[in-house]
Amino acid sequence: MALGTGYEQQGCHLARALEVVGERWTLLILRDCFYGVRRFTDLREHLDISRAVLTDRLDTLVANGVLTREDSDGHPEYLLTETGRALWPTIFSLSKWGERHTSGPHPARLFSHAACDTDIDDVGHCHTCGEVPGPEDLVVRPGPGTNAMRRSDRVARALERPHRMLTPIDTASGPAGG
């Protein structure tokens, strides 16, 4: 039986949300945008995604107000809107679900509250401040352990160092530690 192409017959908001963010690759694109990846070429290189698929996903996210496309020195950059930033709890929760219920030869990413340098818990709570900081108030870094899936692209190298979420990632730097 062939799969349908949409959720038109589903009368619920989850179906509407899946029409925007439910396609393969979309949540990984958004994850990278939260990490500060803004350029098409960096997204493409880091995700190993085809140009056509990335273009389609980005066009959908822009058309639905999740991202904006802006010109920066002749290069398109994609930035999260408030609508896009509202997806952070979902992306964080799904990532934590993956840590608990799947496995892989790579460490988890750790998130700390920038204001007090305290790691947040699995529901995003900072026990030092009692807050649930938004993504703009978080620093992401690799967790302990060996990464058997270590990548060498510019974004992966930049994410080997602690990085303030939503700030543009510096892909011009060399790998951490040399």
Side-chain angles (χ1 to χ4, degrees):
M1 179 189 320
L3 293 175
T5 59
Y7 302 102
E8 297 86 17
Q9 300 303 312
Q10 298 297 315
C12 78
H13 293 287
L14 179 58
R16 300 291 79 77
L18 288 173
E19 288 177 340
V20 177
V21 299
E23 294 286 346
R24 184 174 181 192
W25 295 108
T26 300
L27 291 177
L28 294 176
I29 292 166
L30 291 171
R31 174 207 61 191
D32 279 8
C33 289
F34 278 105
Y35 288 169
V37 181
R38 293 183 172 185
R39 293 207 169 172
F40 182 95
T41 54
D42 289 335
L43 287 164
R44 187 167 168 257
E45 181 180 346
H46 187 240
L47 295 172
D48 286 329
I49 186 174
S50 77
R51 181 178 302 277
V53 170
L54 180 57
T55 297
D56 178 67
R57 299 307 183 269
L58 290 170
D59 287 349
T60 297
L61 293 168
V62 169
N64 285 280
V66 177
L67 296 176
T68 61
R69 183 179 191 265
E70 299 179 8
D71 184 62
S72 175
D73 298 324
H75 297 280
E77 288 194 347
Y78 296 88
L79 288 84
L80 290 156
T81 63
E82 286 305 311
T83 299
R85 289 180 187 202
L87 287 163
W88 172 246
T90 302
I91 290 171
F92 180 76
S93 294
L94 191 55
S95 179
K96 290 299 178 182
W97 180 91
E99 288 176 24
R100 285 190 302 275
H101 300 290
T102 66
S103 62
H106 49 80
R109 292 224 173 254
L110 301 176
F111 300 89
S112 59
H113 188 192
C116 64
D117 199 32
T118 300
D119 287 347
I120 59 173
D121 65 18
D122 286 354
V123 294
H125 184 255
C126 174
H127 290 281
T128 298
C129 301
E131 296 178 19
V132 177
E136 66 280 357
D137 296 321
L138 295 174
V139 173
V140 59
R141 69 185 189 283
T146 302
N147 186 355
M149 296 180 73
R150 186 171 188 242
R151 299 175 45 104
S152 60
D153 63 87
R154 294 175 300 178
V155 170
R157 289 192 317 261
L159 289 172
E160 290 176 348
R161 298 177 298 278
H163 178 75
R164 183 84 174 240
M165 301 270 288
L166 298 175
T167 61
I169 201 151
D170 178 13
T171 57
S173 296

